[in-house]
Amino acid sequence: MQFLINKSKAFLADESGAAALEYGLLAALIAAVIAVAVGGIGTNLNSVFNYVKDKLTVPAAPPA
């Protein structure tokens, strides 16, 4: 019985799994921030391309 109690105490004291969980949560948070940033940049970049597209004109035909 003492063996089971000692193993249970050792299991509860072990924090190596907690560190892996924290790293996983941190990686998920970083991925979410990157996704939001890329989404915002994509919207702004689309606006820039549309502005340039609207400013372009069709060149006149060369004289014959």
Side-chain angles (χ1 to χ4, degrees):
M1 185 66 177
Q2 188 63 34
F3 175 77
L4 182 61
I5 292 173
N6 288 340
K7 283 293 185 179
S8 298
K9 286 181 181 179
F11 176 75
L12 293 175
D14 184 20
E15 295 184 1
S16 63
L21 178 64
E22 291 167 357
Y23 284 128
L25 290 173
L26 187 60
L29 177 64
I30 291 171
V33 169
I34 289 172
V36 169
V38 168
I41 291 170
T43 302
N44 290 340
L45 191 58
N46 191 25
S47 298
V48 169
F49 280 124
N50 283 332
Y51 175 78
V52 171
K53 177 191 66 137
D54 293 339
K55 296 297 178 184
L56 292 175
T57 59
V58 178

